[in-house]
Amino acid sequence: MSPEPTVSDWFVSSYSGGNNNNCVEVRFTNHGTEVRDTKNRTAGTLAFGTDRWSAFLRALRG
């Protein structure tokens, strides 16, 4: 039996749009990062592997 993956709590991304409700939540897992819409949390998540998430963050920082 394999251990359960470690999952952090969801948190609001620092790159979200502030007070205009354009927010996403992020959490880290053993397999990478998951992202979901704060206005529709049950609609599903986007999952990114560690390499892809790191590349995304580098692109945001320019």
Side-chain angles (χ1 to χ4, degrees), residues 12-24 37-39:
V12 175
S13 170
S14 61
Y15 289 97
S16 288
N19 293 328
N20 60 5
N21 294 325
N22 292 328
C23 296
V24 296
D37 184 349
T38 58
K39 293 179 286 186

Side-chain angles (χ1 to χ4, degrees), residues 10-48:
W10 289 99
F11 61 93
V12 175
S13 170
S14 61
Y15 289 97
S16 288
N19 293 328
N20 60 5
N21 294 325
N22 292 328
C23 296
V24 296
E25 293 179 316
V26 177
R27 74 175 172 183
F28 302 112
T29 71
N30 284 344
H31 306 289
T33 303
E34 294 180 337
V35 180
R36 70 181 179 186
D37 184 349
T38 58
K39 293 179 286 186
N40 195 357
R41 291 182 174 112
T42 60
T45 63
L46 297 174
F48 301 90

Side-chain angles (χ1 to χ4, degrees), residues 37-62:
D37 184 349
T38 58
K39 293 179 286 186
N40 195 357
R41 291 182 174 112
T42 60
T45 63
L46 297 174
F48 301 90
T50 303
D51 292 343
R52 294 289 182 182
W53 185 251
S54 295
F56 172 69
L57 293 179
R58 279 193 303 275
L60 287 177
R61 292 179 186 136

